[in-house]
Amino acid sequence: MVQIFEETLDQGFFAPQRFEGEIADCEVAGSIPSDMDGVFIRVGGEFYYPPKFPNDAPLHSDGYISKFRFKDGRVSYQGKFVRTPRYQSNLAAGRNQFGLYRNPFTDDDAVKGVNGTVSNTAPMVHAGRLFTLKEDALPIEIDPVTLDTIGFHDFDGGWKSETFTAHPKWDPLTGDMYAFGYEATGLASDDVFFYRVDKHGNVAHEIRIKVPYVSVIHDFALTQEHVIIPFACYYTDMEQLRAGKIHWQWDRTLPSMIGIMRRDGDGSDLRWFRGPERCFMHVFNAQSVGNTVTLLAPFYNGNFFPFFPNIDGSPWDPSRAQGFVRKYTFDLGSRDDSWTEETLFDTPIVDLGKIDHRFMTLPQRIAFTTFADQTKPFDRERAGDTGRAPVNSYARFDLAEGKMTSFFAGDTHSLQEVSFVPRRGSSEEGDGYLIGTASDLAEMRTELVIVDAQGLEEIGRVYLPFRSSTQVHGYWWDAEELGLAEKEAQA
Ligand code: V55
Ligand code: FE
């Protein structure tokens, strides 16, 4: 995830533009597969007005949603800011009135009580509706045709947590969504509420648990039987927030925690496993087989985010901010509260990645992510010196064969998160396309690359005539999942 802070700098390629745009038919090189009928939707952001404090987190940028619509071998583009309460009240004031990342005590008095979420982390489609997500607030519903903001969504009152994760999961066998909110009953609260939401969008099951300490639970994993809840070392409490600090401090003396409980239970079976310092952000997938639970995840060695300070005052250590493809194994039959960790590939990777989502919770062998391939050229003269190795390649990891293959995007390019698009009519794992945006740092414009997900050869490229704001997460949805044909015809 080198890319999250690389690409939210306030200068150069990601300098704020306050720009919203639309292109009816984008410039294309190569070809656009005609079976791609759907949308690639991305969420990220930029600071519309500069941060109030220079040490604010790039994760606090104003949410922006953009959409590449694929149909009949052509691609259109649209991008808009999410009209959060923060965006609206800042625009009225003409400046940023909100303080540090998730610390309302540092906001201006004028916006006391205003929800400060930036909704800048991920898009979600469920029950035919589109949302933007940030883990400190409820989902915000977005019109999938216009990208206009509709408003906060609490599932007709069924969702009782004040917050909603940016990483919901789906059981591909039922279409049910599993999701949670942490700090569920207010700032720095130790409540986590888990929900199953059925495929019609109704809350069907709730589990309330407490965490041993309040930490970022950015993602979780789902199996056919269990939910897996990883968090580590990031810490907050009201005292720290009242003292005007940024929401998270890194305390390496705290144990890394992974909780496991039945997904259909009442939380009383929740077990906490403990381990050494790691930074848990995203997961790939997980499975339960008998008493054995396995988790595949690109976890880091230590504090990944330089803007969340080490509580012991030590400087941020980039050598620990390395992610790898890792496998974690838990034995629910044993009383032992530890896990085993295997690092499956020694290539350092960016922890934003994807699996073929049709295999979520199921046995699965392919994982996709981005990485910095240092054997490939970088044209510093044209692209400028970024100060670190550019994230220039996609990786495809075949876990069964222990094999990694890659795709190189170009010698002036930096890639954002990769997304997987299944090939229509094929149910084979990993058969489809990889898509994602690339920043051409020399031409100062954004491209969308389309790559064969098996051979990793380029198929086509879409050129935007401008640099788009940074992306955190992006996903593909087929047109039917959003009822797009009908909604576009009505608009
Ligand atoms: C992450 C991202 C966030 C956030 C907390 O990637 C954690 C991890 C983009 O916002 O608020
Ligand atoms: Fe994320």
Side-chain angles (χ1 to χ4, degrees):
M1 213 157 42
V2 168
Q3 61 211 126
I4 281 196
F5 60 92
E6 180 175 77
E7 296 181 351
T8 46
L9 296 175
D10 56 2
Q11 312 168 43
F13 197 92
F14 289 100
Q17 312 176 89
R18 306 182 185 179
F19 172 73
E20 301 188 314
E22 191 164 338
I23 297 175
D25 192 1
C26 296
E27 181 190 344
V28 167
S31 63
I32 303 296
S34 56
D35 71 328
M36 289 178 79
D37 179 3
V39 279
F40 177 46
I41 300 183
R42 312 155 64 228
V43 169
E46 66 177 43
F47 279 91
Y48 198 94
Y49 298 109
K52 200 176 148 187
F53 301 101
N55 62 327
D56 198 10
L59 308 180
H60 206 197
S61 63
D62 291 285
Y64 191 91
I65 180 164
S66 57
K67 169 177 95 174
F68 290 89
R69 170 74 163 108
F70 287 66
K71 194 173 190 303
D72 302 326
R74 301 213 258 173
V75 181
S76 63
Y77 173 87
Q78 257 177 307
K80 263 183 200 171
F81 284 94
V82 184
R83 267 49 176 184
T84 57
R86 156 167 144 153
Y87 175 93
Q88 303 284 44
S89 80
N90 280 350
L91 198 65
R95 66 196 169 77
N96 188 4
Q97 309 160 97
F98 292 80
L100 291 172
Y101 174 82
R102 294 168 66 186
N103 187 341
F105 298 106
T106 62
D107 295 347
D108 287 3
D109 285 341
V111 294
K112 283 270 160 348
V114 177
N115 187 321
T117 191
V118 289
S119 213
N120 68 358
T121 311
M124 163 173 91
V125 169
H126 188 65
R129 298 161 91 160
L130 171 66
F131 305 89
T132 57
L133 304 175
K134 177 80 169 184
E135 63 201 57
D136 65 355
L138 290 174
I140 294 182
E141 187 171 6
I142 304 288
D143 182 312
V145 178
T146 63
L147 299 187
D148 287 338
T149 298
I150 297 167
F152 286 112
H153 185 74
D154 69 358
F155 300 86
D156 301 319
W159 188 273
K160 303 295 184 193
S161 169
E162 293 177 19
T163 59
F164 188 106
T165 178
H167 289 285
K169 299 280 176 289
W170 283 265
D171 181 334
L173 306 182
T174 62
D176 287 351
M177 175 174 76
Y178 291 77
F180 68 98
Y182 73 90
E183 298 187 39
T185 58
L187 200 62
S189 64
D190 62 358
D191 292 298
V192 178
F193 296 176
F194 265 90
Y195 294 93
R196 177 166 65 85
V197 180
D198 70 22
K199 61 178 180 219
H200 308 294
N202 300 313
V203 169
H205 186 66
E206 181 193 69
I207 308 174
R208 297 188 172 201
I209 62 164
K210 295 267 187 193
V211 277
Y213 63 91
V214 182
S215 187
V216 53
I217 311 178
H218 181 66
D219 195 354
F220 80 112
L222 181 72
T223 77
Q224 281 294 314
E225 285 172 62
H226 298 104
V227 292
I228 304 172
I229 308 152
F231 63 84
C233 298
Y234 289 118
Y235 176 76
T236 198
D237 60 31
M238 286 305 276
E239 196 186 331
Q240 182 171 299
L241 294 171
R242 281 206 188 88
K245 300 216 169 113
I246 202 160
H247 198 85
W248 303 116
Q249 321 285 316
W250 182 266
D251 184 350
R252 67 189 309 169
T253 67
L254 291 168
S256 293
M257 309 287 305
I258 299 182
I260 301 183
M261 67 177 177
R262 294 197 61 79
R263 71 183 201 179
D264 57 0
D266 61 5
S268 58
D269 60 314
L270 171 63
R271 268 185 67 179
W272 291 108
F273 294 82
R274 286 170 179 76
E277 181 186 10
R278 286 283 178 268
C279 180
F280 299 152
M281 281 294 145
H282 298 103
V283 308
F284 286 120
N285 201 11
Q287 275 109 51
S288 300
V289 178
N291 276 329
T292 304
V293 175
T294 53
L295 169 65
L296 186 72
F299 291 151
Y300 300 105
N301 284 346
N303 183 6
F304 178 71
F305 293 117
F307 38 81
F308 294 141
N310 294 333
I311 213 162
D312 62 11
S314 62
W316 182 68
D317 178 359
S319 75
R320 298 197 60 75
Q322 293 274 11
F324 298 94
V325 181
R326 286 175 157 153
K327 185 175 155 186
Y328 292 78
T329 306
F330 307 85
D331 181 0
L332 299 182
S334 134
R335 293 250 194 86
D336 189 17
D337 72 350
S338 64
W339 58 70
T340 58
E341 176 192 85
E342 292 164 79
T343 299
L344 302 184
F345 296 87
D346 56 15
T347 307
I349 55 163
V350 171
D351 105 316
L352 304 171
K354 296 283 165 60
I355 60 158
D356 180 337
H357 46 273
R358 298 170 299 177
F359 290 77
M360 197 173 279
T361 73
L362 304 174
Q364 155 264 334
R365 64 182 270 187
I366 310 289
F368 302 105
T369 187
T370 51
F371 74 111
D373 187 342
Q374 312 228 26
T375 69
K376 293 288 194 285
F378 185 62
D379 187 342
R380 278 205 165 68
E381 211 142 283
R382 294 186 59 238
D385 194 349
T386 57
R388 56 179 81 80
V391 176
N392 55 12
S393 296
Y394 291 158
R396 177 188 191 272
F397 294 98
D398 184 324
L399 307 180
E401 291 179 4
K403 205 173 115 201
M404 180 186 117
T405 46
S406 67
F407 162 77
F408 170 60
D411 66 0
T412 58
H413 292 68
S414 162
L415 285 163
Q416 301 188 309
E417 185 188 37
V418 63
S419 290
F420 175 74
V421 183
R423 195 184 309 281
R424 266 175 203 263
S426 167
S427 57
E428 185 189 338
E429 185 188 350
D431 182 16
Y433 311 102
L434 296 180
I435 57 174
T437 48
S439 312
D440 184 334
L441 304 171
E443 301 294 335
M444 293 295 270
R445 67 180 180 194
T446 294
E447 304 171 356
L448 177 76
V449 296
I450 305 160
V451 173
D452 182 274
Q454 286 180 315
L456 268 68
E457 296 102 19
E458 181 159 340
I459 296 171
R461 227 175 251 236
V462 179
Y463 295 96
L464 297 183
F466 51 85
R467 50 191 174 87
S468 79
S469 72
T470 185
Q471 171 196 321
V472 182
H473 293 291
Y475 296 89
W476 169 268
W477 286 281
D478 283 342
E480 304 82 73
E481 295 175 78
L482 267 164
L484 262 187
E486 304 79 60
K487 287 173 184 159
E488 285 166 344
Q490 279 164 20

